[in-house]
Amino acid sequence: EIVLTQSPVTLSLSPGERATLSCRASQSVGNYLAWYQQKPGQAPRLLIYDASNRATGVPARFSGSGSGTDFTLTISSLEPDDFAVYYCQRRAFGGGTKVEIK
Amino acid sequence: EVHLVESGGGLAQAGGSLRLSCAASGFPFSGYWMSWVRQAPGKGLEWVANIKQDGSEREYVDSVKGRFTISRDNAKNSLFLQLNNLRVEDTAVYYCARESAHYSQCDNWGQGTLVTVSS
């Protein structure tokens, strides 16, 4: 069973700053990795699929990179709407990273 | 527009059963793998099960194997999850989701239905 470990658990940043979120797999997953955003009381929203492809309607400030065991979600300049919890997934989900306002 | 609507959640006793449904619309339901994902109160997401387009393949997370059964009715554009022998730790919001890429990457989600299991 592949385990995904996300870091950091919490990221405190200000609007306009760059956010870098990490997801590490316990064994290679190729490029089969997705990233989701979830806000309180809402269903998850797909941001990135197959490690680096933006889903329909996702702003260009969101980008994904990596392959094998190490992956990164980057938000180039945080907007107020971006403060949320982010999950990586390759069937099983990582534990999540909360991006909060500093 | 893709629309997924879950129903069937509620309160059940430990050892009891519930059947969740997901009504799909706005896309060719029979052309997609479908998943169930759950989220315990205040916790992260957990993938639960998925099913192939024709129902011929199904996979489950270890914690629900032998207790939960995923199924679908393509004629009615519906997805189901039968929950048997419920445990307190099965308490969660259960989401229905459409798979769009390998290994259960999901591009559309329902709003979820809450299952509460009491001891």
Side-chain angles (χ1 to χ4, degrees):
Chain A
E1 178 186 341
I2 294 174
V3 176
L4 300 178
T5 302
Q6 291 187 242
S7 62
V9 173
T10 305
L11 194 53
S12 299
L13 295 169
S14 301
E17 289 193 294
R18 182 183 188 90
T20 303
L21 287 67
S22 173
C23 178
R24 177 162 290 178
S26 58
Q27 61 190 84
S28 177
V29 300
N31 68 336
Y32 296 131
L33 189 103
W35 289 94
Y36 300 86
Q37 176 193 68
Q38 189 180 34
K39 298 177 183 178
Q42 296 185 16
R45 171 197 180 195
L46 178 66
L47 298 175
I48 302 289
Y49 66 95
D50 290 347
S52 61
N53 297 294
R54 267 190 303 276
T56 302
V58 174
R61 64 181 181 274
F62 291 92
S63 63
S65 63
S67 65
T69 60
D70 290 295
F71 300 86
T72 300
L73 175 69
T74 301
I75 310 171
S76 59
S77 178
L78 282 164
E79 298 279 336
D81 192 48
D82 299 338
F83 292 92
V85 180
Y86 293 83
Y87 295 93
C88 61
Q89 183 215 18
R90 192 272 197 182
R91 186 150 294 163
F93 289 86
T97 291
K98 181 180 181 180
V99 178
E100 64 176 24
I101 299 177
K102 185 175 181 180
Chain B
E1 181 186 357
V2 174
H3 210 43
L4 298 168
V5 180
E6 302 93 337
S7 60
L11 180 63
Q13 289 204 319
S17 298
L18 283 174
R19 189 187 194 217
L20 307 183
S21 300
C22 173
S25 60
F27 69 101
F29 179 73
S30 62
Y32 287 84
W33 283 77
M34 297 293 294
S35 272
W36 285 99
V37 174
R38 68 183 179 182
Q39 186 168 36
K43 302 298 185 182
L45 300 168
E46 181 181 37
W47 177 85
V48 174
N50 71 348
I51 186 168
K52 193 176 180 179
Q53 291 92 330
D54 62 358
S56 62
E57 295 181 30
R58 310 166 195 217
E59 295 193 50
Y60 300 90
V61 68
D62 285 348
S63 60
V64 309
K65 283 180 181 175
R67 300 189 301 120
F68 292 6
T69 302
I70 189 172
S71 62
R72 64 191 296 161
D73 184 339
N74 287 340
K76 295 183 178 179
N77 292 337
S78 295
L79 178 72
F80 305 101
L81 188 67
Q82 178 69 39
L83 289 64
N84 293 334
N85 193 18
L86 281 162
R87 303 169 180 169
V88 172
E89 56 265 34
D90 294 321
T91 294
V93 173
Y94 285 73
Y95 294 102
C96 158
R98 185 182 83 168
E99 296 193 7
S100 56
H102 293 290
Y103 294 103
S104 303
Q105 298 174 81
C106 296
D107 65 347
N108 281 274
W109 298 65
Q111 85 289 348
T113 187
L114 176 62
V115 171
T116 303
V117 184
S118 66
S119 56

